[in-house]
């Protein structure tokens, strides 16, 4: 929040030293690697084609949207891509710093995405699924 306030007020923030960025990336990679459980990967051959197709489609759509965003907004393509790329806010921020992208804009877009998913999507899903669910429940109750 503090960096967002500083950036919005026009204060230029110092860049992180390269060693700090490398250490941060290593820590994120180690943390993610520790979360993988080999037992959960037993059906990988069946899921591999779907995973590859979904990943290619996701990255392709992200590239297309980032290209359109870089044409319509005064930001670089790398900043646009990292702003809308799927992934966590810390990971995209560290990657933006490593790629010399605008970290404040990447963080702002990613934070908006997180807030949108946390606060707007649940309300929309409740409105979409409320009526059929309630109708079905009332029919079951009176049967």
């Amino acid at each position: 929040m503090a960096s967002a306030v500083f950036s919005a007020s026009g204060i230029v923030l110092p860049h992180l030293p390269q060693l700090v960025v490398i250490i941060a990336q290593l820590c994120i990679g180690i943390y993610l690697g520790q979360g993988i459980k080999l037992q959960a990967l037993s059906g990988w051959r069946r899921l591999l084609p779907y995973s590859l197709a979904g990943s290619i489609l996701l990255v392709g759509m992200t590239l297309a949207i980032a290209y359109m965003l870089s044409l319509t907004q005064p930001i670089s393509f790398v900043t646009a891509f990292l702003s809308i790329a799927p992934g966590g806010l810390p990971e995209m921020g560290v990657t933006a710093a490593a790629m010399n992208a605008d970290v404040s804009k990447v963080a702002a877009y990613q934070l908006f995405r997180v807030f949108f998913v946390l606060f707007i999507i649940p309300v929309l899903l409740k409105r979409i699924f409320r009526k059929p669910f309630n109708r079905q429940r009332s029919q079951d109750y009176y049967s």
Side-chain angles (χ1 to χ4, degrees), residues 5 10 25 29 36-37 39 55 77 83-84 93 96 104 118 123 129 133 139 141:
V5 170
Q25 288 175 329
I36 296 174
K37 299 195 180 8
Q39 302 88 333
S55 297
F77 177 75
S83 294
I84 60 170
S104 61
L118 288 177
V123 172
F129 292 113
F133 180 73
Q139 288 173 356
Y141 180 75

Side-chain angles (χ1 to χ4, degrees), residues 15-27 94-95 97-99:
H15 288 282
L16 292 173
Q18 190 64 25
L19 181 62
V20 173
V21 173
I22 291 170
I23 291 171
Q25 288 175 329
L26 280 171
C27 290
V94 170
T95 305
M99 301 291 296

Side-chain angles (χ1 to χ4, degrees), residues 5-143:
V5 170
F6 286 137
S7 293
S9 64
I11 297 173
V12 177
L13 298 173
H15 288 282
L16 292 173
Q18 190 64 25
L19 181 62
V20 173
V21 173
I22 291 170
I23 291 171
Q25 288 175 329
L26 280 171
C27 290
I28 290 170
I30 291 168
Y31 173 76
L32 292 174
Q34 291 295 318
I36 296 174
K37 299 195 180 8
L38 295 178
Q39 302 88 333
L41 300 176
S42 62
W44 70 271
R45 287 190 178 130
R46 183 174 31 94
L47 296 176
L48 184 64
Y50 299 109
S51 298
L52 287 175
S55 297
I56 291 168
L57 183 64
L58 185 63
V59 171
M61 292 297 293
T62 303
L63 285 169
I65 294 169
Y67 179 71
M68 290 187 294
L69 187 62
S70 68
L71 291 178
T72 60
Q73 299 299 316
I75 58 177
S76 70
F77 177 75
V78 173
T79 299
F81 180 80
L82 292 173
S83 294
I84 60 170
L89 178 67
E91 292 84 1
M92 293 301 113
V94 170
T95 305
M99 301 291 296
N100 294 322
D102 189 343
V103 178
S104 61
K105 286 187 180 165
V106 170
Y109 275 93
Q110 290 288 335
L111 190 59
F112 172 78
R113 181 178 61 89
V114 168
F115 285 156
F116 187 81
V117 168
L118 288 177
F119 299 120
I120 304 299
I121 296 296
V123 172
L124 291 175
L125 289 175
K126 283 181 185 177
R127 287 187 183 184
I128 290 171
F129 292 113
R130 181 182 330 162
K131 292 179 184 177
F133 180 73
N134 286 341
R135 220 178 298 135
Q136 180 64 33
R137 178 179 274 179
S138 64
Q139 288 173 356
D140 292 343
Y141 180 75
Y142 292 112
S143 298

